[in-house]
Amino acid sequence: MASVPEHVLMNEALIEDLQKVAKDTALLQGVLMRTKETPNSSEVVSYAPFTLFPSPVPRSLFEQARQVQTHFNLLVDRISQDAEFLEQALASTIKVDDFTAKLFNIYRQVKQEGCSQHIVLGLNRSDYMLDPGKDGNTSLKQIEINTIAAGLGGLTSRTPDVHRHILKVAGQVEEQKKILDNNPVAGFAEAIAKAWELYGSERAVVMFLVGDVEMIQFDNRFAEYELWSRNIAVIRRRFDDVSKRASLDQNKRLFIDGKEVAIVYFWNGYMPQNYTEQGWEASLMMERSRAVKCPDISTHLAGTKKVQQEVSRPGVLERFFPDDPKAVAQIRATFAGLYSLDMGEEGDRTVAMAIANPDHFVLKPQREGGGNNIYGEDICQVLESVKENSERCAYILMDKIRPQPVRNYLLRSGSPLKLSTCLSELGMFGAYVRQGKGMVLNECTGHLLRTKSDEHSDGGLTAGVAVLDNPLLI
Ligand code: ADP
Ligand code: MG
C-alpha cells in the first residue's frame, strides 16, 4: 500500500527530482533540525527527517483518536490527583527502578509539605498504532501517553505545505487537497497562556527547562514564538542554571536572574542522564515552588509505563470515571494487552507467556525517548536473567502491534534514497488547564504522524529512526 499510485512510486527519474524539491521545500518552510555534528549550534543546520509522501490513515480511526483525547486528558489529570492509586501502582517499580524512585521521592516530599500551586497545566501526546486485527477490522491501539516534553508539535505544523507541494509536483492534485492543516503548538500556547494568566503576575515569565544538547530546539521555538506573540516572555534555562541561580522567596515564588517564573515547561528531565545530583535538587526546588509546572511531578508519574499497565486492569478506568461509562468504553477500546511482571502468580504467567512467544510482545522498562524497549529473542534473554527476582518489576509487557506496512521514501540528511517498507505511529496532542477542582480548558490541539522503516522495532525521531509524516485520510 502507498498514498501515491505505483507508477509514481516507481518512477526513478521523478522520485529523484521530487526528493530535491522536497528537501528545498522543507528547508524553506522551516522543517529544520540541528546536525549530529553540531547539535548545539545553528550555524549549519539541515532539514528534519520526513517522508517523501504522506501516508494513508483511515478517517474513522483518526477521528476516534481525536475524540478520545479529551478523555485521556481527564484520565491523566485524575490519576495525578489520586495518591493512593499512584502509590499502589508504582510500589513494586520504585523498589527496583532507581530513576522512578527518585521521581517518586520528589512526589512524596512535595506532598508532605502540601501543594503550593493549584493551577495545573497538562500538555501531552497520546501515541497509537493501527492494528489490522485478525478479523480484518483495523483498530486504534495506544502505544503510550507522553506527559512530559511531548514534542514535534512545532515542526510538524510546517510539514503539510511540504507534502502538498510534493503531491502537486507529482501530479497528485486531488490528493494534496486532502492534507489537513495542523498546528498543535498553537493550542499548547493557548493553554500555557491561560495558566500564565491564572498565575496572575504580568511580569512573570515562562521558563523552558531545556537540555544541554538541543538538537531539536527548533521544534520548541515554535511554541516560544506563539507565547511571545501573546506578549508572554519566554526564557530558556538548563538544570544547571536553576541549581546555580534560582531561588524561592518566602511565598515560594520561583525567581531566576531577577525574573519571577510563572510556568516551568519541562523539555528535559525525562531521562536519568538528564540529571546530576544538583539537577535533582533543582528539580525539587521547582516542584516545591509556586510556579505552575508542566508537568507537575504527579502528572509526570502518571505517564509512566507501569501506570499505563495498571490502568488497563479491569475496573480501574471506572475508578476514574465513575459516572461516565461512555468515556470508559472509548478509552478502553484503545488499550492493547498490557501485562504486569510483579512478583507472584500473575507475573509468573506473564514471564512464561513472553518467553514462549517473544515476537508477539514488547518488553518495556520505565524509560522515555525511544531506543529502550526490548524485542524478540532479547526479551527471552532479559526475562531469563531477571525472572527469579524483583528486578523484573522494572518492566511491563505489552502486545506487539503490527500495523499494515506502507511503501514510501524516507528523507534523512546523509542517507541514500531508497524505497522502504514503512510503519506509522499516529499521535494526538492534548492540552488542559485545571484550577483547583475546575477544568478551565480541555482540548485536542492537533496531531502528529511519524513513520519509520519496518527494519526498526523501536521509534524516536532524534534516535534517527522515525521521521515526520502527514496523514492522508482515506
Ligand atoms: P518511548 O517512551 O521510548 O517513546 P514507546 O512506548 O513509545 O516508548 O516505544 C518506543 C517505540 O517502540 C514506539 O514509537 C514504537 O515504534 C515501538 N513500540 C512501542 N510499543 C509498541 C507496541 N506495543 N507494538 C509495536 N511497536 C511498539
Ligand atoms: Mg513513544
Side-chain angles (χ1 to χ4, degrees), residues 69 230 271 302 346 390:
Q69 186 56 43
R230 291 166 166 82
M271 295 184 197
E346 184 195 5
S390 58

Side-chain angles (χ1 to χ4, degrees), residues 304-313 338-342 346 395-397:
T304 53
K305 292 176 170 77
K306 181 63 186 170
V307 165
Q308 180 187 8
Q309 174 258 304
E310 287 295 317
V311 169
S312 76
R313 286 187 187 280
L338 287 146
Y339 311 93
S340 165
L341 281 156
D342 285 355
E346 184 195 5
Y395 300 89
I396 61 144
L397 190 76

Side-chain angles (χ1 to χ4, degrees), residues 263-274:
I263 291 166
V264 183
Y265 186 177
F266 285 89
W267 284 100
N268 190 29
Y270 52 88
M271 295 184 197
Q273 57 267 38
N274 297 155

Side-chain angles (χ1 to χ4, degrees), residues 127 129 142-144 146 305 308 336 362 364 367-373 375 398-403 425 450 452 456-460:
D127 290 334
M129 280 182 168
Q142 187 183 51
I143 297 298
E144 64 157 347
N146 303 282
K305 292 176 170 77
Q308 180 187 8
V362 182
K364 298 191 178 188
R367 293 291 175 270
E368 302 291 331
N372 300 298
N373 297 336
Y375 302 86
M398 184 175 186
D399 284 344
K400 184 170 184 179
I401 312 301
R402 297 168 186 282
E425 188 170 345
R450 281 173 304 169
K452 64 176 184 183
H456 297 283
S457 298
D458 221 80

Side-chain angles (χ1 to χ4, degrees), residues 105-258:
N105 270 343
I106 293 184
Y107 170 67
R108 272 198 189 126
Q109 252 169 290
V110 176
K111 212 165 165 341
Q112 253 167 21
E113 265 182 41
C115 184
S116 50
Q117 180 52 266
H118 295 282
I119 303 162
V120 172
L121 166 65
L123 303 176
N124 62 46
R125 196 189 68 228
S126 179
D127 290 334
Y128 305 89
M129 280 182 168
L130 306 187
D131 179 7
K134 290 188 187 81
D135 52 4
N137 282 332
T138 305
S139 61
L140 185 75
K141 292 295 169 205
Q142 187 183 51
I143 297 298
E144 64 157 347
I145 188 157
N146 303 282
T147 61
I148 178 165
L152 301 178
L155 286 181
T156 204
S157 68
R158 297 301 173 102
T159 61
D161 278 340
V162 179
H163 274 154
R164 284 181 188 126
H165 185 63
I166 296 165
L167 288 180
K168 271 189 218 164
V169 177
Q172 306 297 303
V173 180
E174 286 309 309
E175 294 305 279
Q176 66 89 22
K177 291 182 192 156
K178 295 186 199 157
I179 293 179
L180 306 168
D181 278 332
N182 185 28
N183 192 1
V185 291
F188 272 18
E190 200 179 303
I192 299 169
K194 182 45 105 184
W196 177 86
E197 200 183 296
L198 293 171
Y199 181 89
S201 168
E202 280 221 342
R203 280 188 311 274
V205 301
V206 175
M207 177 167 77
F208 284 23
L209 201 280
V210 296
D212 297 331
V213 179
E214 281 295 302
M215 202 167 151
I216 134 144
Q217 165 159 304
F218 298 134
D219 180 53
N220 52 51
R221 286 283 190 206
F222 289 99
E224 201 177 314
Y225 299 145
E226 291 277 352
L227 290 166
W228 279 107
S229 77
R230 291 166 166 82
N231 293 319
I232 299 173
V234 177
I235 59 170
R236 304 171 74 90
R237 295 292 186 274
R238 297 164 305 150
F239 273 124
D240 194 43
D241 303 317
V242 175
S243 89
K244 288 193 175 118
R245 305 197 304 277
S247 59
L248 303 187
D249 73 2
Q250 69 272 29
N251 296 319
K252 291 198 190 172
R253 290 183 305 178
L254 177 67
F255 285 87
I256 187 164
D257 303 330

Side-chain angles (χ1 to χ4, degrees), residues 377-448:
E377 276 307 308
D378 293 345
I379 294 183
C380 301
Q381 257 184 26
V382 171
L383 285 183
E384 288 294 351
S385 73
V386 299
K387 69 180 184 185
E388 303 299 343
N389 61 59
S390 58
E391 265 182 72
R392 75 186 201 193
C393 306
Y395 300 89
I396 61 144
L397 190 76
M398 184 175 186
D399 284 344
K400 184 170 184 179
I401 312 301
R402 297 168 186 282
Q404 170 87 42
V406 173
R407 295 201 301 162
N408 208 333
Y409 295 89
L410 307 182
L411 306 181
R412 181 181 289 113
S413 178
S415 294
L417 186 72
K418 76 171 205 279
L419 187 59
S420 303
T421 304
C422 299
L423 308 177
S424 297
E425 188 170 345
L426 175 68
M428 283 293 162
F429 290 93
Y432 59 90
V433 177
R434 174 167 56 80
Q435 185 175 33
K437 291 205 178 322
M439 269 293 176
V440 182
L441 180 153
N442 180 13
E443 279 170 16
C444 175
T445 72
H447 58 270
L448 171 73

